[in-house]
Structure formats: C-alpha cells, structure tokens
Amino acid sequence: MSAPEAAMIGEGAAVQSGIDEIIAGRFACRDFSGAPVGRGTIEQILRVARFAPSGANIQPWHVYVLAGAAKDSMSAALREAHETARDAHVSEYRYYASDLPEPYLQRRREFGRLFYGSLGIAQTDIKARSGQTAKNYAFFGAPVGLIVTIDRRLEVGSWLDLGMFIQNVLLAAAGHGLQSCPQETFSKYHRILRPLLSIPAEQMVVCGISIGRARDQIAGRLMPRADIADFASFAGFEEQSATQMERTRPWEAETN
C-alpha cells in the first residue's frame, strides 16, 4: 500500500484488510493507458457487482457496455454535440443543489482548485475547461465504457440501490487491478444516447463509467476526504474495553 493510501485508511487503524486497501486505493482516473480489457473481465466485474444491496431485491440497474468501434462512434457523436450544441442538452435529473450549503460548497470549490490546478488549467479559462470536459466523452482513453440507467418509474430508494451497485462496479474493477471513473456528465446527452444504444423510454440515463488501466499507476488519489470526526457520531463505546474497541474481525469476537 502506498503512503497516501495508508493515510487515507488512517493512522492507528487496528486492522487493515485487503478490502480496506482496495477502497482507499480507488480513485477517479481521468487518464487511461488504453490497454485492452477483455469482455470476460468486465462480465466478472458485473457478476460480482450485482450482489449490491437492493430493497425488496428489485435490482434497479441496467448497464450498456461499450468497447471498440461501438464506443468510438458513440464518443464521436457526444463530442460533436459538446462542441456544437452543448447548451441544447440537459440531464433529466439534478445532481447538485442550486444553492449548495456549507461545507459542501467549500468542498466543491476545493475540488475545482485541486483538479484544474493539477492540469495547469486556470479556473477562469473556460475554453481549456471545456476541452477537459470533452475528454469525458472519450471515456478518458479507457478501453471500456459503461452507460448506466435506471427505470424512471422508481423512487428515490432505488437510486440508493443503484449507487451501491455502481460502487461495487468500481471496487470490483479495482480488485482486478483496474481503475475507473464514474461520470454524471453522460446523462446530459441522453437524447443522443437513447437511439444509439436503443435505450427504452422508461430508462433514465444516470451516468457513464470508464474502466481500464491508469496511464500513471502511481498517481493515486488527488482529492482529500473529511476526517471521521467530521461525519460520524459515536455513542455507547465508552462501555467497551480497549481490547474490544480494537477488534474488527468477526473471528476475534469476545468468547468469555
């Protein structure tokens, strides 16, 4: 595990398992090598990801998997739309609140500063930022692209299920030594995607996912995460002994 990944897991952690390393080592990769990834690998990733929790087991996800000429032709259509008619397209759902409160607004601003700063792009350089956005539609050079949809007749709870499925896809890919990038921006061009992929009217385009091998294998995560104290509240643990609090594995349960 790299030093940054170890820091993400946290100093003083009692146990660091393989899944800890996979989760902490995953990052949104935006520069892929283009090395091929076989259909069998993607099928295995999806085979594992389908075990995501799902209320009443309705499994609300659908995935369109693209590679080769099929991916390239779709990417060309999206890039053309982005360059010539981007204002004519809008997503069918709102990702961010129109009036983002703190601390979320500050975090979003920090993302812009870190992300565009890492690319040498000034946040005021609209043309360069648009050019970077356009790379989304080529899946950042990844050999495999996924388009994820959900039945629009379902409610918010099913979107929770879908989010857990998408996370499973990202982690299963990491387990195969691959990186990924979930991309909401594909939802903006649903009117182009629908006929190209024969997406039924009842399905809403939620996002895309790029999957492949990172060009720079040691780049790692750029974005920081809030400390546990910023988002978690604990109660009742003062009753545990120090030894009990350190145990994290099922087979270490107290037997006395």
Side-chain angles (χ1 to χ4, degrees):
M1 185 191 310
S2 68
E5 289 169 8
M8 286 293 173
I9 292 175
E11 296 181 3
V15 175
Q16 295 177 1
S17 68
I19 191 65
D20 290 342
E21 295 187 21
I22 288 174
I23 292 172
R26 184 212 65 78
F27 63 95
C29 179
R30 294 179 175 87
D31 187 16
F32 293 87
S33 70
V37 176
R39 173 172 173 167
T41 299
I42 300 300
E43 287 183 345
Q44 180 59 19
I45 288 170
L46 296 176
R47 190 173 291 117
V48 171
R50 65 191 170 131
F51 290 105
S54 174
N57 198 34
I58 65 173
Q59 305 168 66
W61 42 80
H62 194 92
V63 182
Y64 297 83
V65 186
L66 302 165
K71 177 177 70 69
D72 294 342
S73 61
M74 189 202 75
S75 293
L78 296 180
R79 289 181 70 112
E80 181 180 1
H82 175 73
E83 292 168 4
T84 63
R86 73 189 68 162
D87 293 337
H89 296 269
V90 63
S91 173
E92 293 188 275
Y93 70 95
R94 180 177 292 177
Y95 194 98
Y96 298 107
S98 56
D99 186 14
L100 204 61
E102 295 294 353
Y104 317 112
L105 179 60
Q106 183 274 330
R107 291 172 182 170
R108 186 179 183 181
R109 287 172 174 166
E110 182 182 36
F111 168 86
R113 179 180 60 80
L114 291 174
F115 177 61
Y116 290 110
S118 72
L119 299 172
I121 298 175
Q123 289 190 260
T124 55
D125 191 339
I126 303 302
K127 183 177 180 180
R129 290 180 61 173
S130 177
Q132 176 60 34
T133 298
K135 295 180 181 180
N136 276 277
Y137 309 120
F139 294 96
F140 296 115
V144 177
L146 277 56
I147 299 296
V148 182
T149 67
I150 190 171
D151 194 313
R152 69 178 69 251
R153 296 168 295 185
L154 300 177
E155 293 292 347
V156 174
S158 291
W159 285 69
L160 297 178
D161 297 347
L162 180 63
M164 289 183 278
F165 169 78
I166 291 171
Q167 175 78 335
N168 272 7
V169 171
L170 309 185
L171 297 181
H176 284 269
L178 304 173
Q179 285 297 345
S180 56
C181 185
Q183 299 152 263
E184 175 272 339
T185 190
F186 281 97
S187 67
K188 179 177 180 178
Y189 294 103
H190 59 93
R191 289 192 286 116
I192 294 175
L193 293 171
R194 196 170 300 282
L196 289 176
L197 302 180
S198 299
I199 301 174
E202 69 271 13
Q203 289 288 321
M204 183 186 299
V205 175
V206 175
C207 68
I209 303 176
S210 300
I211 297 179
R213 291 175 175 81
R215 186 180 303 278
D216 185 352
Q217 295 287 347
I218 62 173
R221 182 186 298 276
L222 175 64
M223 299 300 157
R225 289 294 191 262
D227 188 75
I228 294 172
D230 293 331
F231 64 84
S233 300
F234 293 83
F237 288 93
E238 61 277 2
E239 301 169 6
Q240 294 185 351
S241 68
T243 301
Q244 286 175 318
M245 292 180 69
E246 291 175 359
R247 292 191 178 109
T248 60
R249 293 176 176 171
W251 57 86
E252 292 181 329
E254 185 66 62
T255 58
N256 291 343

